[in-house]
Amino acid sequence: MASDAKTRQFECGGAAVDRISSLPTSLMDSILERLPTDDAARTSVFSKTWRDVWPMRPRIHLDKNLISELVFEKFSELDEHTQLLELSQTITDIFSAHRGPVLDFLLFIPENLPIHQTLDMAIWIRNISDSGVRKLKLLNESLYNPFIVPSHFFSCSQLTHLTLVNCELNPPFGFGGFCNLISVELKYVGIYADTSLGTQLKELDMEVCTGIEHLGCQFNCENKLTSLRIVDCEAIYYQWFECIQKLQVLELGMNELPSTGKQVITLDKLVHNMPRLSSLFLDGFFLKILKPGAASFMRLSRTMENLKYLYLHCIELYELDQSQHVLCLVRSSPNLQLLKIDLLHGVQSDDGVDLSDFAVLSDPMILSRLETIMIFDLVGSLTEFQLIELFLVSSPSLKRIKLKTLTMKDPTDVFRISQEVEQIPRASKSAQIQWM
């Protein structure tokens, strides 16, 4: 019994079978795919069969957990400069031990250890470029030390998925652009020269980026974009929206009013060339810089037949233009299924805009497919009650309306708001009001 427990061998036909070394290659790859890089590397001690499996594995993920483990468990007693050198050497050793192509590479750069400033970083980028890397994530947490992407990066012609955080892109003269990129995510990225992400791009996500005007060549009649997100960038170029007819998901946000306050486009023109749009996310700061447009509280010139999800963030209902934009978007989306509105309250009067005139228009609002409404940060103003009433009486398929009040000092205010909402008539008898 002791011998059996010690060896843990299985008998098959009188001969000992090493089950872990007899696993199919596909199953070994599946196991390694689910392990962190450091644990995957340790599997090489299992047997001779496993010794060559990890070095040929096409993925190297040096994520935050692994980097933190290396720093705090192995280099914690060293000063930061020595930690930087040791960490850089460890990553170099990982590349040296890896013999196969690296098709999927992720590197996390700690805030206090700018390993991207070492000479080794350019070598790592060259290695993955030569390997034909397809998925690349460079996550630089050191915000005051942006990573200046080396020229080898622009030779990664096989890239399909790219994520960059806190980097600087300055493509070399004559760079023809990427040709296989499908998805790109940029955060805290500066772009300093004209850059093409390729004609295959379908998803583009930019947050707190500068120099995005250098991507103008991306927005032509041949683009295949289906998802576009631009949040907190220095500017938004409205001519781009004339060439994205395949777009299905759009998110635009400013989070603060631009210093120029220039209004250059109407809401109608913004979405006019997006017939396939199914999800739309807009914030109030962005809506402020839009021109109201004629009859903006009624309908857009082109009905958004495919819009299913509408999310409006930081909406100030006491602003006439924003109230009109909200109603215009909702009225123009007959197949809307989910509507979410996050309210923002300023110093103006809570009563704000009287929506009663909008409710009695000869062109009534009918939301026959709307099932869920979510309105957050209510304070109990007249405008809010009118908006809720307008939605409730116009939505015969409504199943639930989720409401949340802003934190209030007096609990009776919350009770009062809930009581008044409960008394509003509903087109759908099954509509349930849920307080969050």
Side-chain angles (χ1 to χ4, degrees), residues 22 43 54 95 167 172 182 190 288 304 340 347 353 359 382 391:
S22 302
T43 61
W54 178 82
F95 272 99
C167 297
I182 298 173
K288 279 186 178 182
M304 295 190 289
K340 182 180 179 182
V347 297
V353 180
L382 172 63
F391 290 153

Side-chain angles (χ1 to χ4, degrees), residues 74-341:
K74 296 185 178 182
F75 312 139
S76 59
E77 297 181 359
L78 304 176
D79 61 83
E80 285 191 1
H81 178 70
T82 307
Q83 284 183 354
L84 178 62
L85 296 178
E86 290 290 341
L87 180 58
S88 180
Q89 183 59 50
T90 299
I91 296 174
T92 298
D93 292 342
I94 290 175
F95 272 99
S96 299
H98 198 280
R99 297 194 294 273
V102 181
L103 304 182
D104 185 351
F105 181 65
L106 181 152
L107 176 63
F108 172 81
I109 301 173
E111 180 179 4
N112 60 333
L113 292 176
I115 52 178
H116 58 291
Q117 294 182 346
T118 65
L119 295 177
D120 292 334
M121 187 71 179
I123 298 175
W124 304 335
I125 298 295
R126 184 181 63 189
N127 284 341
I128 63 173
S129 174
D130 293 342
S131 294
V133 64
R134 296 176 184 175
K135 295 182 179 180
L136 174 60
K137 289 186 178 182
L138 299 176
L139 313 178
N140 179 15
E141 199 176 63
S142 182
L143 291 180
Y144 298 104
N145 293 289
F147 171 43
I148 302 175
V149 177
S151 59
H152 293 296
F153 165 79
F154 298 96
S155 299
C156 299
S157 59
Q158 300 301 314
L159 268 181
T160 58
H161 295 75
L162 173 65
T163 299
L164 298 177
V165 176
N166 191 27
C167 297
E168 294 184 358
L169 289 176
N170 193 0
F173 179 76
F175 173 63
F178 297 97
C179 54
N180 291 298
L181 275 174
I182 298 173
S183 175
V184 173
E185 181 180 356
L186 307 176
K187 187 173 183 179
Y188 296 105
V189 170
I191 306 172
Y192 295 94
D194 288 348
T195 304
S196 172
L197 301 175
T199 59
Q200 303 303 311
L201 192 68
K202 293 185 177 180
E203 300 176 0
L204 177 57
D205 185 335
M206 297 184 289
E207 182 175 348
V208 198
C209 292
T210 58
I212 66 173
E213 68 273 12
H214 292 297
L215 296 176
C217 61
Q218 199 67 43
F219 297 86
N220 55 51
C221 58
E222 297 179 356
N223 81 82
K224 298 180 180 179
L225 277 175
T226 59
S227 177
L228 176 63
R229 180 176 182 264
I230 306 176
V231 174
D232 289 353
C233 295
E234 59 182 359
I236 294 177
Y237 298 91
Y238 302 101
Q239 62 269 28
W240 292 355
F241 303 115
E242 299 175 1
C243 306
I244 46 178
Q245 296 189 1
K246 296 180 180 179
L247 205 68
Q248 298 176 19
V249 179
L250 174 65
E251 179 174 354
L252 299 173
M254 304 296 288
N255 281 342
E256 63 179 8
L257 194 62
S259 56
T260 60
K262 188 178 181 181
Q263 296 178 329
V264 295
I265 195 173
T266 64
L267 178 64
D268 192 64
K269 288 184 178 180
L270 175 69
V271 298
H272 185 76
N273 293 318
M274 305 177 195
R276 303 184 186 181
L277 202 63
S278 61
S279 298
L280 178 61
F281 307 75
L282 299 174
D283 73 16
F285 293 106
F286 176 78
L287 291 177
K288 279 186 178 182
I289 64 174
L290 295 177
K291 290 181 180 179
S296 62
F297 58 86
M298 295 186 69
R299 278 182 168 82
L300 299 172
S301 61
R302 184 177 197 168
T303 302
M304 295 190 289
E305 296 285 349
N306 291 305
L307 194 68
K308 304 294 190 302
Y309 185 101
L310 178 60
Y311 177 22
L312 303 173
H313 181 63
C314 292
I315 299 300
E316 299 167 299
L317 288 180
Y318 51 80
E319 294 269 355
L320 176 61
D321 288 348
Q322 289 200 40
S323 297
Q324 290 180 348
H325 285 321
V326 170
L327 291 175
C328 179
L329 284 168
V330 175
R331 284 182 180 277
S332 305
S333 309
N335 297 313
L336 197 65
Q337 296 179 6
L338 190 152
L339 171 64
K340 182 180 179 182
I341 302 176

